[in-house]
Amino acid sequence: MKNLTLIAIITAILSANAAYAAPTLNSYPTAAATLYLDFDGHDVNSSMWNYGTPFSCLPAIMTDLQITETFNRVAEDFRPFNINVTTDLAKFLAAPISQRIRIVVTPTSAWYAGVAGIAYVTSFTWGDDTPAFVFSDRLGNNAKKVAEAVSHESGHTLGLYHQSSYTTTCTLNSAYHTGIGAGETSWGPIMGNVASRNATQWSFGPTPNGCSYLQDNLSVITTTNGFGYRPDDFADLYTNASPVTISNNVFNKSGVIATTTDKDYFRFDLSQKGMLRLNVTPFSVGAGNNGANLDVKITLQDAKGTEIRVYDITDSLNARIDTTLSAGTYYVIIDGTGNVNAGNDYGSLGAYTIDGEYKAIATNTIASGTTNTTTLMVTGIQVKNGNKINWNSNNLKGTAAISVMVAIEEGDFKEIARPALNANSYVHQVVAPAAYTYMLKFIEKDGSVQFSNSVTIENKNNGAGIFKVIKQAQQPVIVTAAEAYEYQVVDNFGHVILAGKAAAGNKTIDVRNQPGGIYNLRLMNATEQRTEKFMNR
């Protein structure tokens, strides 16, 4: 009877393994190196596992949608590399045996207690098909948690050890780094324990061996496993920039930032003055850039390659341009960037899409022979009552009316006021935290219209708070605070380069004598702490 029961159990397991097939998915099918996510169940016959005793793993108890989300998250983690993430057994079997690994995702976990996954370090190159395991039952079959475990265990097979966190005095906080921050820009290292963070990346950081034992994830992955980075898809110089075709006023592109030094250059040839709206969105699996690895930065250059402006949203992984440009050639550069949680752009890698529109604007010359937009430049500042827009009201001989326009976040521009022709400022009373983009529309006496440049003021404190911060290109940062506070300016290497105390009111913090780059501004008092990232050029 016992033998009959055992035969029945084995038959049921084998039947289950044969009956289920996960969706067939490939991230980079031309690559030889292969990472196989096995959701279908697997008969394990390896001297390295279960004391060499063969055993069978059941298929993952996950829906096709959960499996697809898991695959997409893992594929994005490995997007920079010349490796195919796949659910296709045929692809795995066709790959070189010393350049492949099987990650078995299964609820069969009783044979190895106390962990969510297990792998042998460097087993990717062993050449004997020793698999690694992720126990989906211990992760609640949650796609996010399963994906983080798959990438983590895959990292071990590629030669990586755990990433740890330490205090400033080198005291171990956690052998498994648990990440930093909350929300969209929360960050954590893949080789830590970071299922609660959104942007999880390969990192350069300490291991449990000590705070001075730094592990360079990207170098280990690309130099010890028989594969490197995927080929660069777009040129890194403006002289070889990829031209963007605008058809029916719209355009789109897609690409991959594959290395820390990779920059993708695109050329826009504008035949006449117009409004350019451009969004760069990292690959994700849901709203709020859920599961994205790439934190996007955009640089806009003129025809000579001179920087016009950098676009980098502090509390979002995407970036956007919304501005008016004269006729000419422009370059848009896509790059990965760091944020206050990540600290640097080391692991800010992955896929992105560009989409946008360009609408030409008829340019009319007023009686003096000067167009309004050549003399009227809009600037902005946060004030006690909201956002103040300033402009020069000279040379408006042909203008019948001025319209103040605003776009909130990525919305369309809407008129909010028509100030007098002799006015040179307007205060928009802000009632909700958001990024507000302003420009002026000049309505000429002949009925035609012209537009000024645009200026964006970010007021995104996720609550009332005591601080308001405005950052503009090539200008000091201006802080408006309702209470006294302390501040620090920290460079991208973690060095405090400026610190002090400030009373309530307006404070100008100027670091233009410092080297160019990304800086973090820390604002602190008894009731609130806040960190803002800004670019010094």
Side-chain angles (χ1 to χ4, degrees):
M1 177 63 90
K2 289 182 179 179
N3 288 340
L4 290 176
T5 302
L6 180 59
I7 291 171
I9 292 172
I10 293 173
T11 302
I13 291 173
L14 293 176
S15 298
N17 289 355
Y20 180 75
T24 300
L25 304 165
N26 290 279
S27 68
Y28 198 29
T30 59
T34 300
L35 170 58
Y36 174 43
L37 311 190
D38 186 352
F39 296 94
D40 300 340
H42 181 55
D43 297 323
V44 182
N45 186 6
S46 169
S47 61
M48 303 302 294
W49 295 118
N50 200 31
Y51 305 101
T53 303
F55 64 102
S56 293
C57 291
L58 289 170
I61 308 173
M62 300 174 70
T63 66
D64 285 358
L65 287 177
Q66 289 173 317
I67 289 172
T68 300
E69 180 182 335
T70 299
F71 166 84
N72 282 330
R73 288 179 179 274
V74 176
E76 183 62 8
D77 288 342
F78 286 89
R79 193 83 64 190
F81 311 122
N82 192 11
I83 186 173
N84 183 31
V85 179
T86 184
T87 61
D88 186 352
L89 176 61
K91 281 288 188 182
F92 170 74
L93 295 176
I97 194 168
S98 61
Q99 285 186 279
R100 69 190 192 193
I101 194 72
R102 180 196 300 255
I103 311 294
V104 181
V105 182
T106 178
T108 305
S109 58
W111 65 277
Y112 206 106
V115 297
I118 191 72
Y120 281 103
V121 177
T122 71
S123 56
F124 183 87
T125 60
W126 285 0
D128 61 1
D129 280 344
T130 296
F133 300 87
V134 168
F135 302 125
S136 51
D137 59 319
R138 292 178 179 162
L139 297 167
N141 298 312
N142 179 279
K144 159 70 168 169
K145 293 180 179 179
V146 171
E148 294 295 346
V150 168
S151 292
H152 180 106
E153 300 306 332
S154 300
H156 282 316
T157 74
L158 294 167
L160 298 178
Y161 294 89
H162 290 141
Q163 304 280 194
S164 305
S165 62
Y166 292 82
T167 68
T168 55
T169 58
C170 273
T171 300
L172 181 67
N173 271 332
S174 176
Y176 289 77
H177 198 307
T178 56
I180 304 170
E184 183 178 327
T185 58
S186 60
W187 172 88
I190 290 170
M191 298 311 295
N193 182 11
V194 292
S196 63
R197 311 301 177 183
N198 184 47
T200 56
Q201 301 173 343
W202 304 109
S203 66
F204 192 141
T207 69
N209 293 327
C211 67
S212 61
Y213 289 84
L214 302 181
Q215 179 174 252
D216 185 343
N217 288 194
L218 297 176
S219 177
V220 172
I221 291 172
T222 58
T223 62
T224 63
N225 294 288
F227 66 88
Y229 295 102
R230 67 166 58 205
D232 194 6
D233 49 358
F234 294 106
D236 294 347
L237 292 172
Y238 79 95
T239 50
N240 294 319
S242 177
V244 174
T245 300
I246 302 173
S247 178
N248 295 321
N249 294 334
V250 298
F251 55 87
N252 59 77
K253 284 277 190 179
S254 62
V256 175
I257 298 299
T259 70
T260 304
T261 58
D262 188 15
K263 300 177 191 292
D264 289 352
Y265 277 70
F266 298 93
R267 190 182 78 237
F268 286 78
D269 297 310
L270 307 182
S271 59
Q272 63 184 101
K273 183 177 181 177
M275 292 183 61
L276 179 69
R277 298 186 67 183
L278 178 149
N279 299 298
V280 183
T281 307
F283 176 89
S284 67
V285 298
N289 294 315
N290 187 3
N293 287 21
L294 177 66
D295 190 342
V296 176
K297 178 178 71 175
I298 310 172
T299 302
L300 179 64
Q301 292 182 347
D302 65 15
K304 296 180 179 179
T306 302
E307 181 182 297
I308 297 173
R309 182 177 172 184
V310 173
Y311 300 81
D312 187 3
I313 304 175
T314 303
D315 53 3
S316 180
L317 300 178
N318 61 289
R320 60 180 178 269
I321 295 176
D322 194 338
T323 192
T324 302
L325 297 173
S326 300
T329 295
Y330 297 88
Y331 298 95
V332 169
I333 307 164
I334 311 302
D335 190 10
T337 186
N339 60 51
V340 66
N341 294 315
N344 57 58
D345 66 349
Y346 175 90
S348 185
L349 309 171
Y352 63 87
T353 57
I354 303 173
D355 63 85
E357 63 179 358
Y358 168 72
K359 294 183 178 179
I361 300 171
T363 303
N364 296 320
T365 302
I366 59 178
S368 65
T370 305
T371 61
N372 290 343
T373 52
T374 60
T375 58
L376 272 152
M377 294 294 294
V378 172
T379 60
I381 188 172
Q382 285 186 352
V383 295
K384 182 177 181 180
N385 296 329
N387 296 331
K388 185 177 183 181
I389 313 305
N390 301 294
W391 65 90
N392 184 338
S393 60
N394 296 331
N395 299 325
L396 294 179
K397 295 179 182 179
T399 301
I402 300 173
S403 172
V404 179
M405 312 287 288
V406 65
I408 303 175
E409 297 298 345
E410 297 183 7
D412 294 326
F413 278 94
K414 298 180 180 179
E415 180 180 290
I416 56 173
R418 287 205 177 189
L421 285 175
N422 61 353
N424 55 22
S425 67
Y426 174 77
V427 176
H428 179 210
Q429 294 186 347
V430 174
V431 296
Y436 295 85
T437 301
Y438 300 90
M439 70 177 178
L440 297 184
K441 179 171 73 173
F442 306 106
I443 304 169
E444 309 298 342
K445 292 178 180 178
D446 62 3
S448 62
V449 296
Q450 297 187 62
F451 295 88
S452 72
N453 65 300
S454 62
V455 60
T456 299
I457 301 176
E458 292 190 21
N459 181 357
K460 304 180 72 173
N461 199 29
N462 298 322
I466 68 163
F467 302 115
K468 291 184 178 180
V469 179
I470 183 168
K471 300 162 287 185
Q472 295 184 177
Q474 299 177 336
Q475 296 293 329
V477 174
I478 300 173
V479 179
T480 303
E483 302 172 11
Y485 62 97
E486 297 181 4
Y487 65 89
Q488 293 180 335
V489 177
V490 183
D491 66 18
N492 207 31
F493 300 99
H495 303 133
V496 177
I497 63 167
L498 190 64
K501 298 181 179 180
N506 292 336
K507 169 71 176 178
T508 299
I509 299 176
D510 193 350
V511 296
R512 288 178 293 177
N513 62 335
Q514 298 289 334
I518 297 173
Y519 290 79
N520 293 314
L521 172 63
R522 297 174 179 168
L523 306 171
M524 304 153 286
N525 81 339
T527 59
E528 183 178 341
Q529 296 187 24
R530 181 173 173 187
T531 302
E532 289 279 349
K533 179 177 64 176
F534 66 96
M535 174 68 72
N536 182 41
R537 301 175 181 81

